[in-house]
Amino acid sequence: MNEKTTPKRGRPKTLDRDQVVQVALMQYWSKGPTVVSISDICGLTGTSKPGVYREFGNDDGLKASVLETYHRLAIQPLIDILEKDQSTTVTINALIDFMTQDRTELNIPQGCLFVMMRAHAQQLGPSTCNKLQEARRNLLDTYEAWVMRSKSRGEFADIPTDIAALFIDIQHGGAMRMQREGAANDTIASVLRSALGVLAMGKRAGARTN
Amino acid sequence: MNEKTTPKRGRPKTLDRDQVVQVALMQYWSKGPTVVSISDICGLTGTSKPGVYREFGNDDGLKASVLETYHRLAIQPLIDILEKDQSTTVTINALIDFMTQDRTELNIPQGCLFVMMRAHAQQLGPSTCNKLQEARRNLLDTYEAWVMRSKSRGEFADIPTDIAALFIDIQHGGAMRMQREGAANDTIASVLRSALGVLAMGKRAGARTN
DNA sequence: AGGTTTTCGTACCTCTAGTTACATTAATCA
DNA sequence: TGATTAATGTAACTAGAGGTACGAAAACCT
């Protein structure tokens, strides 16, 4: 049910929801989610403010929609890498390659909108924050599932699963932030190799129990 | 020269610069540097807005002053740990202990103002950004110096110095962000042990050259 | 054609941020 | 006492943000 019914009554809609989301997405991603105003987006899309408010309710609604789209667009590929059943080291390398792609030649902004939004959560509305939490849980769960599969193959270091997931999350965030601040992708890749390299296999000297 | 001359001429100053900086510091630290307004700080310190502007020039000036104070207060101790000549593992443990102190019982906000400011750099003025860069270079240099000393003692893993410094920076930022988001200090410490543990000694299996 | 329905966009509102003009106050000096 | 100096704080201003009231427009149905 709830098929996109096409009621022919009334003035036809001209507002292009997807376009607004796309433009907002690129703006938030390239300039920061708290720096771009609704008016900016209206100007860039040629829509009116009431149009945007009719479609998304409010600022929070727009940002939440954008985040949803961003998840499909930029986070899912990362998840896909983790869910493909490959050896641990191959997956790690794929992750690194994915994170350190050359963004300029793909016309994609540097950094990660999800990571940026997390850092600006204080200035975001409740729906956006919910979606943020959701996305985070989703990612952490994916990390954990991957770690557990890796462990079952005996290919993973002796680190508690939840800790490992948080560790990966930190490296991802760090890489995205470095990229955003202009670091060379080679440099970022080196750091990631040093960091994620630990996860594969080897027993490490036990860390202090403290 | 330029001793704090105490000219008795004119109306005596009542504005307490240090108090304003302290209050602003705590506000920025606990609520985020871009969420607290000048008016808020005026309200909390009982000073007038023109008073603040006379003293700091503008928002940017106040934030820059706060960051300077924050550096002395919260970053220097971390630097001190690194500059104390101790074995690599002892230093690492000291770093972890320092980062995962219980903040609530010390009446110190969670997280790190410096890390937060970096994430909000787009919304900060030029002086603040300069001080931010400066502080970052200072930290990275300290990391590098420590790494080199560790290496010369043969106590450090086979990782390029600059990469190691960036790696440490990421772990620090990650830990501070986790703390801010409410993670338990024990959890954070576990992640840090897994992460920083790599730095000490052992030859690791060479990461892919790619 | 005239009513109905749905969307449109101009022009506004409110609120808060950063910032400043200016008259006032409180001290010293002559 | 009155001039000088240096600080004070009230009360504004400007700009831009999020958000909305409301009449016009564009389709349909009868």
Side-chain angles (χ1 to χ4, degrees):
Chain A
M1 60 192 69
N2 208 354
E3 286 286 316
K4 190 150 231 165
T5 51
T6 316
K8 291 295 185 186
R9 273 310 256 293
R11 181 171 177 170
K13 188 167 199 164
T14 61
L15 182 142
D16 187 342
R17 190 181 213 275
D18 287 349
Q19 187 216 6
V20 173
V21 172
Q22 291 291 345
V23 168
L25 170 46
M26 292 305 281
Q27 289 290 311
Y28 292 153
W29 195 352
S30 57
K31 301 182 183 168
T34 54
V35 173
V36 182
S37 73
I38 302 258
S39 304
D40 291 337
I41 291 160
C42 288
L44 287 166
T45 54
T47 58
S48 67
K49 272 208 273 186
V52 171
Y53 279 91
R54 247 173 266 128
E55 191 67 32
F56 300 97
N58 53 24
D59 191 54
D60 189 24
L62 173 57
K63 291 205 167 81
S65 294
V66 167
L67 180 52
E68 206 164 332
T69 298
Y70 184 82
H71 191 282
R72 257 177 285 129
L73 186 79
I75 299 184
Q76 193 58 49
L78 197 137
I79 292 177
D80 290 342
I81 292 175
L82 290 160
E83 289 182 342
K84 218 176 200 170
D85 248 327
Q86 293 171 313
S87 86
T88 303
T89 55
V90 168
T91 302
I92 288 177
N93 287 328
L95 286 176
I96 295 174
D97 288 347
F98 178 72
M99 292 195 238
T100 58
Q101 274 174 317
D102 186 357
R103 299 286 182 88
T104 51
E105 75 179 16
L106 294 174
N107 268 320
I108 293 175
Q110 307 295 119
C112 171
L113 179 57
F114 171 60
V115 170
M116 295 171 78
M117 279 191 168
R118 251 178 92 189
H120 292 234
Q122 323 141 334
Q123 313 176 53
L124 300 176
S127 327
T128 312
C129 284
N130 281 347
K131 285 229 178 299
L132 222 41
Q133 291 271 68
E134 218 176 279
R136 175 162 167 64
R137 255 277 53 93
N138 183 227
L139 243 188
L140 283 180
D141 287 348
T142 307
Y143 290 147
E144 293 195 358
W146 174 70
V147 168
M148 288 172 72
R149 267 178 288 123
S150 254
K151 281 183 175 175
S152 74
R153 273 186 264 108
E155 294 175 4
F156 205 85
D158 182 27
I159 301 174
T161 303
D162 56 333
I163 300 300
L166 291 168
F167 172 81
I168 299 170
D169 187 52
I170 286 181
Q171 309 315 314
H172 170 250
M176 293 300 98
R177 264 175 284 267
M178 280 185 68
Q179 187 179 73
R180 185 146 186 84
E181 290 181 356
N185 279 315
D186 291 356
T187 308
I188 301 173
S190 293
V191 177
L192 284 175
R193 275 193 294 273
S194 293
L196 301 182
V198 201
L199 301 180
M201 290 204 278
K203 315 245 172 202
R204 300 169 22 257
R208 187 174 67 140
T209 318
N210 189 21
Chain B
M1 61 192 66
N2 207 358
E3 286 285 317
K4 190 150 230 167
T5 50
T6 316
K8 294 293 187 187
R9 269 314 253 293
R11 181 172 176 169
K13 188 168 202 163
T14 61
L15 181 142
D16 186 343
R17 191 181 211 275
D18 287 348
Q19 187 217 3
V20 173
V21 172
Q22 290 292 345
V23 168
L25 170 45
M26 292 305 281
Q27 289 290 311
Y28 292 153
W29 195 352
S30 57
K31 301 182 182 168
T34 55
V35 173
V36 181
S37 73
I38 303 259
S39 303
D40 291 337
I41 292 160
C42 288
L44 288 166
T45 54
T47 57
S48 69
K49 278 209 266 188
V52 171
Y53 279 90
R54 248 172 264 130
E55 191 68 30
F56 302 97
N58 53 23
D59 190 54
D60 189 24
L62 173 57
K63 291 204 167 82
S65 293
V66 167
L67 179 52
E68 205 163 333
T69 297
Y70 184 82
H71 191 282
R72 255 177 286 129
L73 186 78
I75 300 183
Q76 194 57 49
L78 196 137
I79 293 176
D80 289 343
I81 291 176
L82 290 159
E83 289 181 342
K84 217 176 200 170
D85 249 327
Q86 292 172 313
S87 86
T88 301
T89 55
V90 168
T91 303
I92 288 176
N93 287 329
L95 286 176
I96 295 174
D97 287 346
F98 178 72
M99 292 195 239
T100 58
Q101 272 174 319
D102 185 356
R103 298 286 182 88
T104 51
E105 76 180 16
L106 294 173
N107 269 320
I108 293 175
Q110 307 296 118
C112 171
L113 179 58
F114 171 60
V115 170
M116 296 171 78
M117 279 192 168
R118 252 178 91 188
H120 292 235
Q122 324 140 333
Q123 314 177 53
L124 300 176
S127 328
T128 312
C129 284
N130 281 348
K131 285 230 178 299
L132 223 40
Q133 292 269 68
E134 215 176 280
R136 176 163 166 64
R137 255 278 52 93
N138 183 228
L139 244 187
L140 282 180
D141 287 348
T142 306
Y143 289 147
E144 293 195 358
W146 174 70
V147 169
M148 289 171 73
R149 267 179 288 124
S150 254
K151 281 183 173 174
S152 74
R153 270 186 266 108
E155 294 176 3
F156 206 85
D158 183 26
I159 301 174
T161 303
D162 56 335
I163 301 298
L166 291 169
F167 173 82
I168 300 170
D169 187 52
I170 286 182
Q171 310 315 315
H172 170 249
M176 293 300 97
R177 263 176 286 266
M178 280 187 68
Q179 186 178 74
R180 189 149 183 80
E181 291 181 354
N185 279 316
D186 291 356
T187 308
I188 302 173
S190 292
V191 176
L192 284 175
R193 276 192 293 272
S194 293
L196 301 182
V198 201
L199 300 180
M201 291 205 276
K203 314 246 172 202
R204 299 171 21 257
R208 187 176 67 140
T209 319
N210 189 21

